[in-house]
Amino acid sequence: MQPFIPQKQSQVQIRPLEYRDLETIKKLCWEAPEVQHNHRDVTFNISPINLSEKLAEINRWYWPLKLLSLFPNPCKYLLTSYIAEVDGQVKGVIQICPTNRTRSSWRVERIFIEAGGNTRAIGSQLLRYCFEKIWEARTWLLEVNVNDKDTMALYRQNGFQPLAQITYWTITSQQLQDLAQTQPNLPNLLPISNADAQLLYQLDTASMPPSVRQVFDRDVEDFQTSFISGLIEGVKQWVNHTELVSGYVFESQRKAAIGYFQVQLCRDGTQPHIAELTVHPAYTWLYPELLSQMATLAQDFPPQSLQLASVDYQPEREAYLERINAQQIEHTLLMSRSVWHKVRESKSAIYDLQFSEFLQSLQPVRKPAPSRSSWLKIMKNKHQIQINSQSSKNDNSGGEGKNKKVNSVSKFISPNSQNGDDKKV
């Protein structure tokens, strides 16, 4: 009887994306189910190049992007992707990117796993590799369709928790024509420049609940556009045949921005217009005005629908979209993974330890040499002691002088005179 020899299980190797992987990824994107939704850019316009869409552009711009990733610049993380290999064959791919300038918050853009493979195991290894590789990331976030239970289980298994529910809407071209007939009442609508970054940052802060704001961790610099970023955005619009229009509403009494919109208009009519909308919670009456403004801008382009998103903490926006008969196209769940809980747990464990019992060898053997401040304090105390001793001596000398005067006077008084006085009394 031959002994049983266990076979070696194939290990998953994770490595960065290379140029030779592009054709395999193209095939994988067509065959494998995508573990993400298809409307990411409606709300978070972060990564200009996606793995599943416009693969020809990835082939064209791969080497320039690879060169830009070698030194610090705004385009350093445009194509941050990792490959999962088993026995030399690509089984999965993940794309990630930062959501802010400080790179404290990162987003999982795309995950593709080969059909028929161990989706949960390979997906978990890809995610955990990113968690260990991107050491500067304090929080991670992603979106998943609410009906995709398997993918949601994968993310929950790796520490992601629900943060907010997002609903994606579409407004038809006919509805846009009806909205454009109403003249928007926006007297303080201004164009956006880098000088308005502080106002937009304050508006973004006020429009989010604290839990969501902590995850995105944005700063004033996230609302500024550098020269290189503007140049890349211009090239992107030229390649995609789009035009980007934005503006904000300024409230003169409060000296603050109360509304903001950005719409990506398609010049050739091949794709829908994409809108991003931010409104201060105290000025929800701006929703009809800003949508009317965007509908007016869309009339100068080929007829096409308009897509935008709403979050569950924006009930006024959802109520208005329902009132104009906008159609819901997808429901997603925004999930986040934070390391703040681990930091709190480690702090509590450290505080419970009694370091004086374990670090006896680090206790000082003799008193440390006094510093300059301690010398000054000692000299001041000595000077005060000298003053006090001098004053006490003066008091004692004054008492002795009085006694001497009394004794000297008594010498001149005879005892007889003293007795005579007693008799008279």
Side-chain angles (χ1 to χ4, degrees):
M1 182 176 179
Q2 295 181 355
F4 175 74
I5 301 176
Q7 297 180 355
K8 281 188 176 181
Q9 294 183 356
S10 300
Q11 294 183 353
V12 179
Q13 296 182 354
I14 312 296
R15 59 173 177 81
L17 173 70
E18 297 179 1
Y19 183 80
R20 59 186 172 91
D21 302 320
L22 295 181
E23 291 297 328
T24 308
I25 292 174
K26 183 177 181 180
K27 183 180 179 181
L28 184 65
C29 294
W30 284 104
E31 296 178 355
E34 182 189 5
V35 190
Q36 289 294 65
H37 67 95
N38 296 322
H39 306 282
R40 180 192 63 263
D41 292 339
V42 176
T43 307
F44 308 102
N45 190 7
I46 300 170
S47 179
I49 296 180
N50 302 322
L51 288 175
S52 62
E53 301 175 357
K54 303 174 183 174
L55 288 167
E57 293 184 11
I58 300 180
N59 290 324
R60 187 185 311 167
W61 299 102
Y62 176 82
W63 293 113
L65 292 175
K66 191 70 175 179
L67 179 62
L68 291 173
S69 64
L70 299 178
F71 56 92
N73 62 89
C75 309
K76 182 178 176 63
Y77 303 98
L78 288 182
L79 194 59
T80 306
S81 304
Y82 299 98
I83 302 295
E85 276 187 344
V86 178
D87 297 332
Q89 296 182 357
V90 177
K91 298 295 183 179
V93 59
I94 185 173
Q95 182 187 15
I96 59 176
C97 69
T99 63
N100 53 5
R101 293 282 184 90
T102 59
R103 298 186 301 278
S104 62
S105 179
W106 284 67
R107 178 184 174 88
V108 178
E109 289 287 330
R110 303 269 170 168
I111 296 183
F112 287 98
I113 308 297
E114 184 182 31
N118 194 348
T119 304
R120 185 169 298 185
I122 296 177
S124 297
Q125 293 193 34
L126 284 170
L127 288 170
R128 292 172 185 175
Y129 179 85
C130 294
F131 299 158
E132 296 176 1
K133 183 71 173 179
I134 311 300
W135 57 268
E136 56 192 351
R138 294 201 303 263
T139 54
W140 290 83
L141 67 154
L142 51 83
E143 282 186 65
V144 58
N145 192 290
V146 295
N147 298 320
D148 195 348
K149 303 301 181 182
D150 295 336
T151 305
M152 195 178 300
L154 167 65
Y155 293 143
R156 282 185 175 274
Q157 181 181 355
N158 289 276
F160 285 90
Q161 298 295 328
L163 185 64
Q165 292 185 5
I166 301 177
T167 304
Y168 291 90
W169 305 75
T170 181
I171 303 174
T172 63
S173 58
Q174 182 61 41
Q175 291 172 339
L176 289 177
Q177 292 181 4
D178 298 338
L179 291 174
Q181 294 178 0
T182 304
Q183 185 68 23
N185 184 16
L186 298 171
N188 294 327
L189 183 63
L190 302 176
I192 294 176
S193 65
N194 286 339
D196 306 315
Q198 181 67 34
L199 297 175
L200 297 180
Y201 167 70
Q202 294 174 355
L203 174 62
D204 185 78
T205 302
S207 63
M208 287 185 180
S211 58
V212 181
R213 190 188 317 137
Q214 180 182 3
V215 169
F216 283 94
D217 193 22
R218 291 171 178 166
D219 202 352
V220 178
E221 295 181 355
D222 295 314
F223 298 89
Q224 295 177 349
T225 303
S226 63
F227 174 77
I228 298 179
S229 299
L231 183 61
I232 292 177
E233 182 62 33
V235 174
K236 177 185 173 183
Q237 295 179 27
W238 176 74
V239 172
N240 298 334
H241 304 284
T242 59
E243 183 175 343
L244 199 64
V245 182
S246 60
Y248 75 100
V249 181
F250 181 73
E251 220 283 318
S252 56
Q253 294 182 352
R254 297 182 57 183
K255 306 295 182 183
I258 59 176
Y260 161 82
F261 80 92
Q262 176 178 296
V263 56
Q264 179 180 302
L265 301 167
C266 181
R267 290 195 294 261
D268 55 5
T270 57
Q271 55 186 342
H273 309 307
I274 296 176
E276 183 179 351
L277 193 60
T278 305
V279 174
H280 194 283
Y283 297 88
T284 55
W285 55 269
L286 282 174
Y287 284 122
E289 308 298 335
L290 291 176
L291 278 173
S292 178
Q293 177 68 25
M294 289 187 289
T296 304
L297 294 173
Q299 299 308 307
D300 298 333
F301 295 83
Q304 188 56 263
S305 61
L306 177 71
Q307 292 184 0
L308 71 161
S310 65
V311 195
D312 55 0
Y313 53 80
Q314 299 169 339
E316 294 84 359
R317 180 184 302 189
E318 295 183 346
Y320 174 73
L321 292 173
E322 290 179 353
R323 189 166 68 250
I324 63 175
N325 297 323
Q327 182 182 358
Q328 299 181 9
I329 55 179
E330 189 178 8
H331 296 279
T332 64
L333 188 65
L334 182 65
M335 306 182 72
S336 65
R337 181 185 188 273
S338 176
V339 300
W340 292 112
H341 301 289
K342 293 184 178 180
V343 172
R344 284 197 291 266
E345 291 173 1
S346 62
K347 283 184 177 181
S348 62
I350 291 174
Y351 292 155
D352 293 338
L353 294 176
Q354 299 295 330
F355 285 96
S356 60
E357 300 178 2
F358 298 98
L359 305 178
Q360 292 292 339
S361 60
L362 300 180
Q363 298 295 330
V365 178
R366 60 171 183 262
K367 291 183 179 181
S371 62
R372 182 180 178 183
S373 60
S374 60
W375 277 112
L376 293 175
K377 188 175 181 179
I378 292 172
M379 297 300 296
K380 183 177 180 181
N381 293 335
K382 286 184 177 181
H383 183 66
Q384 186 67 29
I385 292 172
Q386 291 177 359
I387 293 175
N388 294 335
S389 61
Q390 187 68 26
S391 61
S392 62
K393 287 181 180 180
N394 293 335
D395 294 340
N396 294 332
S397 61
E400 293 176 356
K402 289 180 180 180
N403 294 331
K404 289 179 181 179
K405 289 181 181 180
V406 172
N407 294 330
S408 61
V409 173
S410 61
K411 290 180 181 180
F412 294 98
I413 301 174
S414 61
N416 296 328
S417 62
Q418 295 178 356
N419 293 332
D421 293 338
D422 293 336
K423 289 179 180 179
K424 291 181 180 177
V425 175

